[in-house]
């Protein structure tokens, strides 16, 4: 099972930027769906952005398109989420997640992901 460790969260004012990192280890498959989810208090966990590692294909939630960018550094086994133009509604705990590339499920379905990091808090003040 893949182990995931997030870092890079923090507090920022609206309009600011943050970059989240997710260090991964323990790969056993040739490809994965890897991505970022977030959960605000009292809300369900939602998909933010996911990348299919074999092709680099990406998916984004409508609420973050044009502001967030997911990327991967294969040499460092690290996944990133660059977050620009942050809004107070982006405040949440952000989680890194992965699932094998053979799992054909909706990209934003959190129940289809088998590995999760511990989460990193992002707080955006107005």
């Amino acid at each position: 099972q893949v182990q995931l460790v997030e870092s890079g969260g923090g507090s920022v004012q609206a309009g600011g930027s943050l970059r989240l990192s997710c260090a991964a280890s323990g790969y056993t498959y040739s490809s994965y769906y890897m991505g970022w989810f977030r959960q605000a208090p009292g809300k369900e966990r939602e998909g933010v952005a996911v990348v299919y590692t074999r092709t680099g294909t990406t998916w984004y939630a409508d609420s973050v398109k044009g502001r967030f960018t997911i990327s991967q550094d294969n040499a460092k086994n690290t996944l990133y989420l660059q977050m620009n133009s942050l809004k107070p509604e982006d405040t949440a705990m952000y989680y890194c997640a992965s699932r094998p590339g053979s799992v054909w499920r909706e990209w934003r379905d959190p129940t289809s992901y088998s590995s999760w990091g511990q989460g990193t808090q992002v707080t955006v003040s107005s």
Side-chain angles (χ1 to χ4, degrees), residues 2 5 8 15 19 21 23 32 34 41 56 75 77 80 84 86 97 99 114 120 122:
V2 177
V5 179
R19 188 176 80 158
S21 300
Y32 288 84
M34 295 193 68
N77 288 335
Y80 300 100
N84 298 328
L86 282 160
R99 73 185 192 205
S114 50
T120 186
V122 171

Side-chain angles (χ1 to χ4, degrees), residues 38-52:
R38 67 186 181 187
Q39 188 167 20
K43 294 189 176 181
E44 294 186 351
R45 190 167 297 190
E46 64 171 349
V48 176
V50 164
V51 61
Y52 180 48

Side-chain angles (χ1 to χ4, degrees), residues 3-4 18 23 62 81 103:
Q3 290 79 49
L4 304 170
L18 285 173
D62 288 344
L81 184 68
V103 177

Side-chain angles (χ1 to χ4, degrees), residues 39-93:
Q39 188 167 20
K43 294 189 176 181
E44 294 186 351
R45 190 167 297 190
E46 64 171 349
V48 176
V50 164
V51 61
Y52 180 48
T53 60
R54 175 174 291 177
T55 63
T57 303
T58 57
W59 296 265
Y60 293 91
D62 288 344
S63 59
V64 306
K65 282 181 181 176
R67 300 188 299 121
F68 291 10
T69 302
I70 189 171
S71 62
Q72 53 180 337
D73 185 331
N74 293 331
K76 295 182 178 180
N77 288 335
T78 301
L79 184 73
Y80 300 100
L81 184 68
Q82 178 66 45
M83 305 185 294
N84 298 328
S85 301
L86 282 160
K87 303 175 180 180
E89 51 263 44
D90 294 319
T91 296
M93 185 71 79

Side-chain angles (χ1 to χ4, degrees), residues 2-25:
V2 177
Q3 290 79 49
L4 304 170
V5 179
E6 304 100 332
S7 60
S11 296
V12 64
Q13 288 191 327
S17 299
L18 285 173
R19 188 176 80 158
L20 306 183
S21 300
C22 173
S25 61

